[in-house]
Amino acid sequence: MADLRRKTGPSRPLGELTEALRRGERRVTGPRLAILQVLREHRRPLSNKEVLALLPQGYCDLATVYRSMHLLRRLGLVQRFDVGDGVARHELRDAGHDGHHHHLVCRRCAQVVAIDCCLLEEVERELSRHSGYQALQHRLEFTGICPDCQQR
Ligand SMILES: [Zn+2]
Ligand SMILES: [Zn+2]
């Protein structure tokens, strides 16, 4: 089976992101740009605390990350993902399609891996044919025990 995990590394070109910020008529401030860069590098849903920890030490405080993330979400640059543990996590929204993808969540530490492809398109087509329903959508999350937690 092909490696379904998202390729790490750059996703959307940063210029495109900053352009989107400008279209939102906001200044591209340091923290906003820095947060986008962190999300670009890591390509999985991160909590505000995780984002803060990945920024240079003393760069900004948690309240700034929180406010910036809120704005980035309003601008449609990031989307929220809830694991169900009460912690808000955000990831970059993909350009070019609706951003539909799946996640794999560790049941012990709640680490999240984003899965690039959708395995259910064929299933949706079959369902549509049998049921007569159209414009099908689905939500599906996978859980498991991550490699780190297996070591512990
Ligand atoms: Zn884990
Ligand atoms: Zn899917």
Side-chain angles (χ1 to χ4, degrees):
M1 197 163 175
D3 186 6
L4 302 180
R5 291 172 50 144
R6 303 197 123 187
K7 321 288 174 287
T8 49
S11 51
R12 294 173 81 167
L14 204 59
E16 188 187 321
L17 291 169
T18 55
E19 196 49 49
L21 270 178
R22 282 193 201 97
R23 280 200 303 275
E25 289 171 23
R26 304 279 179 158
R27 279 183 56 229
V28 184
T29 63
R32 286 168 200 161
L33 206 50
I35 289 168
L36 287 173
Q37 263 161 341
V38 165
L39 291 176
R40 265 181 95 231
E41 273 163 36
H42 294 271
R43 305 217 59 197
R44 63 185 179 86
L46 295 171
S47 70
N48 289 338
K49 276 186 186 159
E50 285 175 310
V51 169
L52 184 65
L54 290 164
L55 289 168
Q57 202 170 8
Y59 183 77
C60 66
D61 60 10
L62 191 58
T64 304
V65 174
Y66 180 89
R67 278 196 308 271
S68 302
M69 200 65 91
H70 185 77
L71 173 71
L72 294 172
R73 193 169 79 214
R74 273 199 8 229
L75 292 174
L77 292 175
V78 304
Q79 59 194 6
R80 189 175 158 146
F81 175 70
D82 286 302
V83 174
D85 62 356
V87 178
R89 290 175 176 79
H90 292 87
E91 64 188 332
L92 273 193
R93 230 188 142 92
D94 288 332
H97 63 102
D98 64 359
H100 176 82
H101 61 273
H102 295 276
H103 296 98
L104 180 54
V105 182
C106 177
R107 288 195 293 274
R108 296 225 177 109
C109 70
Q111 183 177 180
V112 185
V113 173
I115 298 168
D116 247 339
C117 67
C118 177
L119 306 164
L120 294 175
E121 282 154 9
E122 179 66 24
V123 174
E124 281 195 345
R125 273 196 294 275
E126 281 294 303
L127 265 177
S128 179
R129 207 167 50 207
H130 289 293
S131 66
Y133 277 52
Q134 293 198 338
L136 268 65
Q137 293 181 347
H138 60 267
R139 284 192 298 253
L140 174 69
E141 303 301 346
F142 298 93
T143 67
I145 308 297
C146 76
D148 286 347
C149 287
Q150 289 171 43
Q151 303 286 314
R152 276 170 213 147

